[in-house]
C-alpha cells in the first residue's frame, strides 16, 4: 500500500480527490501557525490528565443555544423534572452505548450514552477515560486519531474551558465561526498547522447536571477532517448525560435495575435471590465461587440491539478481583433478553 492509499484509508473513505487537494486552498482556509511546541497539548496534561498530545493554537467558538447535549424539561412534566430525549436518527450514526462510571447505587455515579459506529470503531475504558478508536489501526507514522471522553467532577464547563484555554501557549488566535456538533456545550478548537498531517483537536465541555463536566476531545490530522473528523462529530452529536433520577425510557430504567441485581448475584455465586430474572434455560456462569467481597467495579457498558424498543442487550462489567497493583481487569459479560417488558439473563461468562 503506497502513501496515498494509506492516506485514503485514514481519512475514512473520503473522495480520493481530497488527497490531491491543493495546499494553497489549505492556506486560504487555515491560519499559518507557528510549528507545534513540544509534543503535547499542555491543556490536556494540566486539566484533563489524559496522555500527552500536542501544543497548538486554538480557534474558539462561542457556545450555541441549548440543544441535544443538555436536558430540556418537557412541558407536561412537573417543575424540576427533565426528560432524556434520544437523538432522532441516532441509529444511523451507530450502535447505542450506555456507559456507567460506577454501580448505580453509588451517589457519585454519572452516566452517559453515545452512539458508536461499531463497524469502524471500538470503545474501551481505562482509569475513567473512555476512548473510541478505529478498528483498522492507522500506520505508525500517522498522528493519533480518536475520540476521548473524560468526566471532571466538581468542575463547571466554563471553568474547564477557561483553564484549558489559559494552559495553551499561542501567538495568534482566530474567532472564525465553526459550528459546534453539540449545541448547548462549550467548544474549543486547536489546530497544529497547515500541513496535511498536522494534528487537530476539537473539544466539547458538557454540564453533567451535578456541578461537573464531561470533556469530549476529538483528535485527527488535517487531511482527515472530512473523513474521520466528521465521523467523530457525528458521534459527539449523539452524546447525552444519563440520570436515573430523571425521566428516561422505561426499557432503560428496567435494564439498569435488572443489571444491578444480576451482576452482584453472579459474582457472589448465589442466584437464589434473582431467579425471577433468569430466562428459561439460562446459562448463568461466572467464577463459580463468591468473589464479591474482594472485587472492584471499574465500569458497566450496556449495548442494546435497538435504541427505541430493544429486544436484547449485551452488558459488560469491567472489574478487578483485588486491589493489588498490577492485577489485570476481567469482564463479566451478560446477554439479557427482554420478554413482556422484563429483562432476563440469557447467558453470562467471564472474559479476560
Amino acid at each position: 500500500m503506497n502513501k496515498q492509499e494509506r492516506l485514503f484509508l485514514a481519512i475514512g473513505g473520503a473522495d480520493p480527490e481530497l488527497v490531491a487537494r491543493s495546499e494553497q486552498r489549505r492556506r486560504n482556509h487555515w491560519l499559518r501557525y507557528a510549528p507545534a511546541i513540544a509534543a503535547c497539548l499542555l491543556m490536556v496534561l494540566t486539566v484533563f490528565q489524559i496522555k500527552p498530545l500536542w501544543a497548538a493554537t486554538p480557534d474558539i467558538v462561542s457556545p450555541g443555544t441549548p440543544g441535544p447535549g443538555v436536558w430540556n424539561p418537557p412541558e407536561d412534566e412537573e417543575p424540576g423534572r427533565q426528560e432524556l430525549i434520544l437523538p432522532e436518527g441516532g441509529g444511523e450514526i451507530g450502535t447505542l452505548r450506555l456507559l456507567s462510571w460506577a454501580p448505580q447505587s453509588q451517589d457519585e455515579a454519572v452516566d452517559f450514552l453515545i452512539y458508536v459506529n461499531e463497524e469502524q470503531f471500538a470503545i474501551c475504558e481505562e482509569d475513567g477515560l473512555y476512548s473510541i478508536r478505529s478498528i483498522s489501526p492507522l500506520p505508525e507514522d500517522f498522528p493519533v486519531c480518536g475520540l476521548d471522553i473524560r468526566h471532571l467532577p466538581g468542575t463547571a464547563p466554563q471553568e474547564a474551558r477557561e483553564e484549558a484555554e489559559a494552559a495553551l501557549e499561542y501567538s495568534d488566535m482566530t474567532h472564525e465561526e465553526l459550528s459546534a456538533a453539540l449545541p448547548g456545550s462549550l467548544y474549543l478548537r486547536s489546530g497544529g498547522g497547515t500541513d496535511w498531517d498536522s494534528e487537530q483537536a476539537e473539544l466539547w465541555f458538557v454540564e453533567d447536571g451535578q456541578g461537573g463536566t464531561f470533556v469530549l476531545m476529538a483528535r485527527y490530522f488535517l487531511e482527515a477532517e472530512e473523513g474521520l473528523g466528521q465521523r467523530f462529530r457525528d458521534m459527539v452529536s449523539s452524546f447525552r448525560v444519563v440520570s436515573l433520577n430523571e425521566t428516561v425510557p422505561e426499557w432503560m430504567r428496567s435494564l439498569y435495575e435488572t443489571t444491578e441485581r444480576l451482576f452482584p448475584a453472579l459474582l457472589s455465586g448465589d442466584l437464589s435471590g434473582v431467579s425471577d430474572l433468569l430466562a428459561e434455560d439460562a446459562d448463568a456462569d461466572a467464577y463459580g465461587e463468591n468473589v464479591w467481597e474482594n472485587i472492584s467495579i471499574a465500569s458497566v457498558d450496556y449495548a442494546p440491539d435497538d435504541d427505541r424498543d430493544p429486544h436484547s442487550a449485551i452488558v459488560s462489567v469491567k472489574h478487578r478481583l483485588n486491589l493489588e497493583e498490577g492485577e489485570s481487569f476481567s469482564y463479566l459479560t451478560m446477554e439479557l433478553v427482554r420478554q413482556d417488558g422484563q429483562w432476563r439473563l440469557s447467558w453470562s461468562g467471564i472474559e479476560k
Side-chain angles (χ1 to χ4, degrees), residues 146-148 200-204 216-220 232 236:
L147 175 62
D148 296 323
Q200 310 293 316
E202 293 184 76
L203 298 99
W204 294 264
L216 293 81
M217 180 172 65
R219 293 180 285 166
Y220 52 88
F232 294 147
V236 166

Side-chain angles (χ1 to χ4, degrees), residues 249-310:
E250 180 55 36
W251 68 260
M252 186 182 297
R253 183 180 299 278
S254 177
L255 177 60
Y256 273 83
E257 292 172 349
T258 301
T259 298
E260 190 172 84
R261 287 182 59 194
L262 278 171
F263 75 76
L266 287 163
L267 294 172
S268 64
D270 182 5
L271 300 179
S272 60
V274 295
S275 58
D276 59 317
L277 301 181
L278 303 180
E280 185 177 357
D281 299 326
D283 181 11
D285 186 30
Y287 288 99
E289 59 179 319
N290 185 2
V291 298
W292 182 248
E293 297 297 328
N294 300 313
I295 207 166
S296 172
I297 306 296
S299 63
V300 184
D301 182 351
Y302 306 78
D305 66 345
D306 184 79
D307 64 343
R308 306 292 164 171
D309 185 24

Side-chain angles (χ1 to χ4, degrees), residues 50 122-126 129-133 146-149 219:
I50 302 176
I123 183 170
C124 66
E125 181 273 342
E126 183 176 358
L129 174 67
Y130 279 90
S131 300
I132 299 175
R133 296 290 185 270
L147 175 62
D148 296 323
I149 304 171
R219 293 180 285 166

Side-chain angles (χ1 to χ4, degrees), residues 109-295:
V110 180
D111 305 340
F112 68 91
L113 65 83
I114 192 168
Y115 289 73
V116 178
N117 183 341
E118 295 187 334
E119 294 182 356
Q120 297 179 344
F121 300 96
I123 183 170
C124 66
E125 181 273 342
E126 183 176 358
D127 296 329
L129 174 67
Y130 279 90
S131 300
I132 299 175
R133 296 290 185 270
S134 174
I135 293 175
S136 300
L138 298 179
E140 292 183 0
D141 57 340
F142 275 50
V144 173
C145 296
L147 175 62
D148 296 323
I149 304 171
R150 181 176 285 280
H151 183 231
L152 302 178
T155 302
Q158 184 64 37
E159 179 185 355
R161 193 183 74 160
E162 288 176 356
E163 291 182 6
E165 184 179 353
L168 287 169
E169 298 180 6
Y170 55 87
S171 56
D172 292 300
M173 183 173 67
T174 177
H175 291 277
E176 178 185 1
E177 288 299 319
L178 300 173
S179 59
L182 191 57
S185 65
L186 300 183
Y187 177 79
L188 182 147
R189 174 160 186 154
S190 178
T194 59
D195 294 334
W196 72 268
D197 60 349
S198 61
E199 296 91 345
Q200 310 293 316
E202 293 184 76
L203 298 99
W204 294 264
F205 305 83
V206 183
E207 167 63 45
D208 70 356
Q210 299 184 20
T213 299
F214 280 100
V215 181
L216 293 81
M217 180 172 65
R219 293 180 285 166
Y220 52 88
F221 54 94
L222 188 56
E223 193 64 51
E225 175 161 4
E226 296 176 51
L228 283 175
Q230 186 57 52
R231 284 166 171 77
F232 294 147
R233 291 190 200 104
D234 288 343
M235 288 188 282
V236 166
S237 73
S238 72
F239 179 87
R240 302 288 187 275
V241 177
V242 177
S243 171
L244 293 187
N245 294 324
E246 308 298 346
T247 303
V248 299
E250 180 55 36
W251 68 260
M252 186 182 297
R253 183 180 299 278
S254 177
L255 177 60
Y256 273 83
E257 292 172 349
T258 301
T259 298
E260 190 172 84
R261 287 182 59 194
L262 278 171
F263 75 76
L266 287 163
L267 294 172
S268 64
D270 182 5
L271 300 179
S272 60
V274 295
S275 58
D276 59 317
L277 301 181
L278 303 180
E280 185 177 357
D281 299 326
D283 181 11
D285 186 30
Y287 288 99
E289 59 179 319
N290 185 2
V291 298
W292 182 248
E293 297 297 328
N294 300 313
I295 207 166

Side-chain angles (χ1 to χ4, degrees), residues 14-48:
D15 192 294
E17 293 182 0
L18 292 175
V19 179
R21 182 171 292 155
S22 167
E23 185 66 17
Q24 180 63 41
R25 194 197 71 85
R26 290 297 184 194
R27 294 191 180 99
N28 291 338
H29 186 67
W30 298 89
L31 292 180
R32 271 191 162 280
Y33 301 119
I37 304 172
C40 68
L41 185 58
L42 183 58
M43 170 274 299
V44 172
L45 290 175
T46 57
V47 181
F48 309 126

